[in-house]
Amino acid sequence: MLLKLAIALDDATVDVSELSLLVGGKGKNLILLSRAAATSTNNTIQVPPGFVVTTHAYQALLESNNKELQDEIDAELQRLDAAADDNLLLEQVSQHIQLAFSKKSLPTYVAEEIQHQITRLFLSSNTTTFVAVRSSATCEDLGEASFAGQHDTYLQIAFHDIASKILDCFASLFTARALIYRRNHHVQHPQMAVVVQQMVNSQASGVLFTANPLTGHRYQLVIEAVSGLGEALVSGLTEPDRYIVKRKKKNAGVNHNIVKETTALLEHNTNDEYIILETNIGAKKKAIVPKEEEGGGVQLVEHTEKQSELVLHETTVLELARLGTAIEDLYQGEPQDVEWAMYQNILHVVQSRPITTLFPVPLNKSNGEDDLEVLFSFGAIQGFSAPFYPAGQDSVQLLMGGMIRFATWGRRQGTIMLNIVGERLFLNVTRPIRNKVGRQVIRKGLGFLEPGILAGLDKTLEENGEDRLAYDSGMSPFMLIRFLAFQLFNILPGALSALAFPERSRDKVIARLNQFVASVQKKADAMPPTTTTLADVVQFKRETLGEFFPTVVPLFGYNVPVLLGSMVTLMNITTKQLGPTGKDRVYLLTRGIPHNPTTEMDMELWSTAQTIQANAMSKQEFQCKSAEDLAADYMAGRLSPRAQQAVQGFMDQYGMRGLYEIDFGRPRWREKPAPLMLILKTYVGMEEKSHAPNELFRRGEHVAQEEILQLGLDLGRPRTVTFLSRRIRALAALREVPKFTIIRIMGIVRAKLIEQGEKLVSTGLLEESEDVFFLHDNELDQLSANPISRDWKTLVGERKAIMERETSRMRVPRVLTTDGYGYYGGAAISSQLAEKENVLIGEPVSPGVVEGIVRVVYDPSKTKLEHGEVLVCHGTDPSWTPLFLSACALVMEVGGLVTHGSIVAREVGIPAVD
């Protein structure tokens, strides 16, 4: 192999496909920018000259002297692998490797090639005296991880010091911070290259984001600027000026997210309009500037003057915006994080890399490219932010499809309301919010369901203005007539019956849904594994989930108005007579609600634990063994007889439940029971019976009944309070029933699909039976019809990698638009509260005041909450319920008055905020 030890930035001979492994992320981007600058006719991009010391040179250093340095590195890293979580050892390993590099010199032929490049680019032209020497690892500036600031950079370096700084950059691949970053991002075996580039003695420097990194808005550019060198900004030493520029396209048909077929620079679009939206002056108290003496280096200086003046003139800001668009075009519309420097009023680009933290942009489903669409996070409503399996995405599509077809009498399909973004589900609500009636209904519903999304909708309307989200219609005459007819002939009679006989109405709904589940189970039982095909099961799934909402909506359509009407009426009365705290009194009436499936499940689980606790052998087994071992014993039928029977009885009723259970692809307790065993271990070990679910329910029921009497007396309206409270308590449990029914039928279908997965494993098409959930329904159809049509194992592997990547994403917007804007905040709060320092404000959903140790929980199956701790989490579903018995309070990132966590918190009597 021909070694390429150093490559000039303007070298156009190296194939683009080779650059990443040869010159690293930073080197590749600078070479692409330099090539673009060379072919540009208007000098839009200026890149200081320089060269890259390649990974071949780095490898030559490692292999010199019989791989002496390589062997030392390998030995140290093996020590680290044996104790990966030992941070003290990690620091020691890093120091030993750094020391090993410091004792080495570059091989002679590498040093000669570097000197040749210095002479050719700098000495012969006498263009510069100093250079910047910057690391460029092969793992840097990736689409999913930038590695920004993890490796070393040296500025204002004299020519005679270049070789030593290159060695230091090589060694920085093994700093403690770089080792930790790679471990967290699962990156192995990187190589290091080094960029040597003419130093720009900049009068101003900064960064340019071609999309707003805070909100994700793809048509807002954010520019930060400081005096002197940009190192003061990137190292956090000074507060920069900040400019937000809006890019508005005159030709709406151009979309920056369209992948272009060429990597050549597209000249900046002169049809774009740029408007400066915001200008914020930073303190800029400090600056880093080059030293003028012969030895080079930089120095930190204090700014005593001109702190209140802007670093950049308006024309320069707009020029930077156009430069950012040109660079973004070069990278096929991918938003960029650009470092720039200005010298003698000329802008120089010294680095560009992808912005890796942006949430993906949803696909615009409307007819016009410039039409704005608004989406709500389905996960926020359900209380979790994790990605959905492909099978789970399709399942919600089927459920929504049935609902939309029912609501529109077959005129619309459900797929128009769902977008898959970042493997998560978002509800496309553009049509209803552009409808006068629809927007009012949504705003009212969000006030109860998810106030954070309501705040996000208001912010979205504020950001974009009514020009792009204006009303386009009211309710059509056809829809109005059908709606009124449905209300008159279907809802009104049932609602009157529910108002008069709420308990009978509730029991009728529960009985009808039990019949529906039984019919689904009967169909499943009629599908023997030996003769049933994969296509048969997929069709069974489509029919079953598609029928759910047409079956359920008529049943709930007349109960929900009575429940909400009673609740709102009582809230209004108490608030009017008792003030803002009156609603807390109403919350107390919802404790100890009968027929709540989640409460019933928890009490059944407690009963199971009591059975185990009453048997000495079973109790010892659960006290001594880990949850994983107990799960393995249960699956193999090896638990003690009493425990095996008790757990099996619980599984028969609730084994279809699990963490994030609304995602059809997620494992259920009966498949992977370790999380359930962890809960049972906690229950079996509980000696204090006052915290038992049945005792909490009994006390809650007593509190509610007493409050009904007392509230009636305080309001002077005992009959009204009793009448409304009876309807609230009789019908409130129905909130949990539809989801519980969905989970039950999902469990039936999932079991049939796993049977088919086992067949596919036996034929060698899949590795595990659960791999079927990484495939979409249409792909399962294809697999059934033509098993050899593609490499299914490879496809599943790719999907697992995507799921792992998306699971690590920490920020998911509540509201998202098709121009990339995302709202990540919570519910709107009063300005008076917002002004308080060191206070986090949320929406109260269960009354009370408490003080305790906070425990942040990401996964309830891996965490044991100590009694009296404050549970802080993203959101909850029924699998979290057992933790409520230990918590003294609940804080959720998402949720509303009628979401799971809020209901259960009120049920067990602990304060809660979302």
Side-chain angles (χ1 to χ4, degrees):
M1 180 183 69
L2 179 63
L3 292 179
K4 294 184 176 71
L5 301 174
I7 300 174
L9 294 181
D10 59 359
D11 187 339
T13 63
V14 181
D15 190 270
V16 173
S17 62
E18 300 179 21
L19 287 176
S20 293
L21 292 179
L22 191 61
V23 297
K26 189 183 286 96
K28 175 184 177 179
N29 289 330
L30 285 171
I31 288 174
L32 292 178
L33 289 166
S34 297
R35 291 180 181 180
T39 59
S40 175
T41 59
N42 57 8
N43 297 322
T44 303
I45 298 177
Q46 297 281 339
V47 181
F51 64 94
V52 185
V53 181
T54 69
T55 56
H56 288 177
Y58 170 77
Q59 200 60 41
L61 172 65
L62 298 186
E63 295 177 358
S64 61
N65 298 323
N66 296 318
K67 297 186 177 182
E68 183 180 38
L69 182 55
Q70 181 71 73
D71 291 342
E72 290 184 60
I73 293 172
D74 290 344
E76 291 295 332
L77 294 181
Q78 285 177 4
R79 290 177 57 207
L80 191 59
D81 290 341
D85 296 327
D86 188 334
N87 288 333
L88 179 60
L89 177 62
L90 187 143
E91 289 283 354
Q92 294 175 352
V93 165
S94 173
Q95 292 173 7
H96 291 169
I97 295 177
Q98 302 282 313
L99 181 62
F101 269 96
S102 69
K103 295 178 180 179
K104 304 298 178 184
S105 299
L106 294 173
T108 303
Y109 62 96
V110 174
E112 289 174 350
E113 177 61 23
I114 293 171
Q115 186 59 47
H116 168 72
Q117 294 289 343
I118 293 172
T119 302
R120 185 179 71 85
L121 290 169
F122 305 131
L123 295 179
S124 60
S125 59
N126 197 29
T127 56
T128 187
T129 307
F130 298 101
V131 296
V133 180
R134 294 184 292 164
S135 305
S136 178
T138 54
C139 56
E140 278 185 18
D141 300 342
L142 302 173
E144 61 275 5
S146 69
F147 279 79
Q150 301 305 312
H151 305 121
D152 287 354
T153 290
Y154 301 94
L155 304 176
Q156 196 76 350
I157 303 302
F159 294 145
H160 61 81
D161 282 337
I162 290 177
S164 66
K165 296 306 179 187
I166 289 172
L167 278 172
D168 290 340
C169 285
F170 284 161
S172 71
L173 193 61
F174 301 98
T175 60
R177 64 179 182 272
L179 289 171
I180 292 173
Y181 194 92
R182 289 204 298 274
R183 181 182 67 191
N184 292 342
H185 286 81
H186 309 292
V187 175
Q188 296 180 340
H189 310 302
Q191 299 279 303
M192 179 65 83
V194 179
V195 175
V196 179
Q197 195 174 18
Q198 175 183 311
M199 187 71 193
V200 179
N201 189 7
S202 51
Q203 62 206 62
S205 305
V207 294
L208 158 65
F209 299 96
T210 65
N212 192 318
L214 296 180
T215 68
H217 203 305
R218 298 307 197 269
Y219 294 101
Q220 288 183 1
L221 299 92
V222 178
I223 298 166
E224 294 186 337
V226 296
S227 299
L229 303 178
E231 187 67 17
L233 171 59
V234 298
S235 61
L237 290 174
T238 192
E239 181 188 357
D241 292 341
R242 181 177 290 110
Y243 312 81
I244 298 179
V245 181
K246 181 179 181 180
R247 176 175 61 206
K248 184 177 181 181
K249 304 189 76 62
K250 291 181 180 177
N251 51 336
V254 176
N255 187 338
H256 278 277
N257 293 311
I258 295 175
V259 177
K260 302 173 178 66
E261 295 180 356
T262 176
T263 56
L265 171 69
L266 300 180
E267 304 299 342
H268 68 271
N269 190 342
T270 55
N271 287 327
D272 288 354
E273 291 180 345
Y274 298 91
I275 303 170
I276 299 176
L277 296 178
E278 294 182 26
T279 300
N280 296 296
I281 301 176
K284 305 184 295 295
K285 294 181 179 180
K286 298 178 181 179
I288 293 178
V289 298
K291 291 181 179 178
E292 297 299 330
E293 51 262 35
E294 184 177 341
V298 296
Q299 59 185 345
L300 181 67
V301 297
E302 298 285 340
H303 267 197
T304 56
E305 300 178 356
K306 299 184 178 181
Q307 290 183 18
S308 61
E309 296 181 8
L310 289 169
V311 173
L312 301 179
H313 189 271
E314 178 180 323
T315 56
T316 306
V317 173
L318 297 177
E319 184 181 353
L320 272 167
R322 286 188 286 270
L323 172 63
T325 300
I327 294 174
E328 185 178 84
D329 284 341
L330 173 64
Y331 289 95
Q332 304 174 354
E334 184 176 14
Q336 296 290 301
D337 170 1
V338 180
E339 294 184 16
W340 56 271
M342 185 172 69
Y343 177 64
Q344 295 182 347
N345 295 321
I346 297 175
L347 293 171
H348 299 268
V349 179
V350 296
Q351 186 172 345
S352 184
R353 56 175 170 251
I355 305 176
T356 60
T357 57
L358 296 176
F359 198 79
V361 177
L363 176 67
N364 192 319
K365 293 187 176 183
S366 64
N367 295 324
E369 291 281 356
D370 200 42
D371 289 346
L372 185 69
E373 295 188 357
V374 180
L375 294 81
F376 293 168
S377 168
F378 179 79
I381 296 171
Q382 290 296 321
F384 74 98
S385 61
F388 273 72
Y389 282 67
Q393 298 169 14
D394 291 347
S395 297
V396 178
Q397 293 268 20
L398 290 169
L399 289 166
M400 292 295 297
M403 183 180 73
I404 298 301
R405 285 192 299 274
F406 176 83
T408 62
W409 295 277
R411 298 176 69 211
R412 299 192 187 282
Q413 299 299 312
T415 53
I416 64 171
M417 279 200 68
L418 281 174
N419 287 55
I420 309 298
V421 192
E423 302 305 311
R424 293 163 175 85
L425 291 167
F426 285 82
L427 300 172
N428 192 321
V429 295
T430 307
R431 282 181 179 271
I433 67 168
R434 299 192 73 166
N435 178 287
K436 290 182 180 180
V437 177
R439 189 181 296 187
Q440 292 175 7
V441 171
I442 284 177
R443 291 181 59 83
K444 289 289 186 182
L446 288 175
F448 281 94
L449 193 63
E450 225 293 332
I453 293 181
L454 177 59
L457 174 60
D458 291 340
K459 186 67 175 178
T460 301
L461 293 170
E462 177 187 326
E463 284 279 322
N464 291 277
E466 287 294 330
D467 58 327
R468 297 185 72 193
L469 288 171
Y471 296 128
D472 61 7
S473 68
M475 183 175 284
S476 70
F478 172 79
M479 290 292 289
L480 180 60
I481 292 172
R482 294 295 296 265
F483 176 77
L484 292 176
F486 183 75
Q487 295 293 322
L488 182 62
F489 295 107
N490 293 80
I491 300 299
L492 185 58
L496 292 174
S497 177
L499 187 63
F501 309 104
E503 293 84 4
R504 187 172 71 183
S505 182
R506 176 200 62 211
D507 295 342
K508 179 181 176 181
V509 171
I510 294 174
R512 178 66 185 89
L513 291 179
N514 286 336
Q515 292 172 8
F516 178 66
V517 173
S519 69
V520 173
Q521 185 64 63
K522 184 176 180 180
K523 292 177 184 178
D525 293 340
M527 300 172 67
T530 53
T531 58
T532 301
T533 67
L534 178 59
D536 293 335
V537 175
V538 174
Q539 184 59 28
F540 174 53
K541 175 186 176 185
R542 290 189 177 112
E543 293 174 355
T544 301
L545 297 183
E547 291 172 0
F548 177 76
F549 274 108
T551 302
V552 168
V553 170
L555 298 172
F556 281 82
Y558 48 79
N559 284 286
V560 171
V562 175
L563 171 61
L564 292 181
S566 301
M567 193 82 172
V568 171
T569 300
L570 191 54
M571 282 276 194
N572 290 338
I573 293 173
T574 55
T575 302
K576 184 177 180 179
Q577 292 190 222
L578 303 179
T581 59
K583 64 180 181 179
D584 292 344
R585 303 280 298 274
V586 178
Y587 290 152
L588 291 176
L589 307 184
T590 63
R591 293 190 60 184
I593 295 292
H595 300 284
N596 184 320
T598 302
T599 304
E600 291 177 342
M601 178 197 73
D602 206 31
M603 288 196 288
E604 181 64 28
L605 187 60
W606 173 254
S607 177
T608 302
Q610 290 294 96
T611 300
I612 294 171
Q613 195 178 56
N615 180 268
M617 180 185 298
S618 299
K619 181 178 180 180
Q620 183 180 18
E621 185 176 36
F622 270 75
Q623 288 178 333
C624 297
K625 290 187 177 181
S626 68
E628 290 74 17
D629 289 341
L630 289 169
D633 287 347
Y634 167 73
M635 296 298 286
R638 295 194 303 261
L639 289 177
S640 61
R642 184 69 62 86
Q644 186 76 29
Q645 183 180 10
V647 174
Q648 185 61 57
F650 178 84
M651 289 292 192
D652 290 342
Q653 287 185 272
Y654 299 104
M656 84 298 288
R657 309 212 77 160
L659 182 62
Y660 303 149
E661 60 192 7
I662 195 64
D663 180 356
F664 180 75
R666 297 277 171 176
R668 309 290 145 155
W669 284 336
R670 65 186 175 201
E671 301 160 16
K672 295 186 177 180
L676 182 67
M677 295 302 174
L678 184 63
I679 299 170
L680 278 173
K681 278 178 64 66
T682 302
Y683 279 12
V684 169
M686 283 179 63
E687 299 296 339
E688 179 55 64
K689 299 299 189 269
S690 62
H691 301 299
N694 56 347
E695 180 61 23
L696 288 173
F697 180 82
R698 187 193 63 77
R699 290 205 304 266
E701 195 172 31
H702 179 72
V703 167
Q705 295 300 332
E706 284 194 336
E707 183 60 28
I708 291 172
L709 296 175
Q710 188 61 48
L711 185 60
L713 293 174
D714 292 346
L715 295 175
R717 306 173 72 170
R719 290 185 178 181
T720 301
V721 172
T722 300
F723 179 86
L724 295 174
S725 298
R726 177 187 167 191
R727 276 123 196 99
I728 292 171
R729 292 186 58 77
L731 300 176
L734 293 182
R735 185 269 171 202
E736 294 279 306
V737 171
K739 182 178 178 181
F740 180 56
T741 306
I742 290 173
I743 301 308
R744 292 169 72 188
I745 62 175
M746 278 187 175
I748 296 170
V749 178
R750 184 179 165 92
K752 301 304 294 184
L753 201 51
I754 288 177
E755 287 180 358
Q756 296 298 315
E758 291 169 351
K759 289 183 184 179
L760 295 170
V761 171
S762 67
T763 57
L765 290 170
L766 296 178
E767 294 285 354
E768 300 175 301
S769 59
E770 292 84 0
D771 287 351
V772 291
F773 302 111
F774 288 95
L775 300 175
H776 289 285
D777 290 346
N778 63 331
E779 292 168 338
L780 293 175
D781 285 334
Q782 181 185 352
L783 173 56
S784 179
N786 188 0
I788 61 172
S789 58
R790 63 192 304 177
D791 186 343
W792 300 104
K793 289 182 179 180
T794 299
L795 178 60
V796 168
E798 292 170 354
R799 295 273 169 79
K800 287 181 177 180
I802 292 172
M803 284 289 288
E804 183 178 2
R805 183 193 70 208
E806 284 298 327
T807 299
S808 66
R809 188 188 296 277
M810 297 302 294
R811 298 178 73 232
V812 178
R814 278 179 162 90
V815 179
L816 184 64
T817 68
T818 46
D819 57 15
Y821 171 79
Y823 179 80
Y824 297 86
I829 56 176
S830 70
S831 57
Q832 183 178 2
L833 289 174
E835 291 173 357
K836 293 184 178 181
E837 295 184 0
N838 302 319
V839 175
L840 297 176
I841 309 297
E843 187 75 10
V845 291
S846 182
V849 177
V850 75
E851 181 177 327
I853 296 173
V854 167
R855 184 176 296 275
V856 179
V857 179
Y858 294 99
D859 185 346
S861 67
K862 300 177 181 177
T863 304
K864 182 179 180 181
L865 197 71
E866 298 297 331
H867 181 69
E869 291 182 333
V870 178
L871 170 59
V872 178
C873 59
H874 179 79
T876 71
D877 66 9
S879 66
W880 290 73
T881 304
L883 293 184
F884 286 60
L885 302 183
S886 300
C888 66
L890 171 68
V891 179
M892 299 175 290
E893 187 176 352
V894 297
L897 284 173
V898 296
T899 51
H900 170 268
S902 307
I903 292 173
V904 177
R906 294 195 294 269
E907 183 78 31
V908 300
I910 61 173
V913 177
D914 67 34

